[in-house]
Amino acid sequence: MGLMKVFSGSEVLAIALQERLEEAGVETVKKDNIQSARLGGFGGTDLAVEVFIQETDFAKANPVIEDFRMSL
């Protein structure tokens, strides 16, 4: 299968969601566009950190993601 994006936002919120997902047994991948832009010599945006999960883990991850969104 493939990866699906479940979050795009600030680095602080991305790390918080990533930790919750990993506590629930869902592996995550974080793509930090802010760091990539900085290394490339470009500016970044505030909503430049994305969290991805495997499509096959969506059923397990969805309750965690919804709970996280409701807590914002």
Side-chain angles (χ1 to χ4, degrees):
M1 298 290 165
L3 293 175
M4 68 182 298
K5 181 168 55 172
V6 295
F7 178 81
S8 179
S10 72
E11 183 173 19
V12 172
L13 293 176
I15 291 170
L17 176 59
Q18 188 178 25
E19 288 175 355
R20 288 186 188 190
L21 287 168
E22 290 177 354
E23 286 174 3
V26 177
E27 291 187 35
T28 63
V29 175
K30 183 178 79 165
K31 181 180 177 188
D32 189 343
N33 293 320
I34 297 170
Q35 183 72 358
S36 296
R38 186 187 67 76
L39 291 173
F42 303 102
T45 64
D46 290 340
L47 302 178
V49 179
E50 300 168 329
V51 176
F52 295 85
I53 63 169
Q54 290 290 330
E55 291 176 349
T56 54
D57 288 335
F58 182 72
K60 186 177 3 175
N62 192 44
V64 176
I65 295 166
E66 290 302 316
D67 183 54
F68 178 77
R69 287 185 177 155
M70 295 301 288
S71 70
L72 295 179

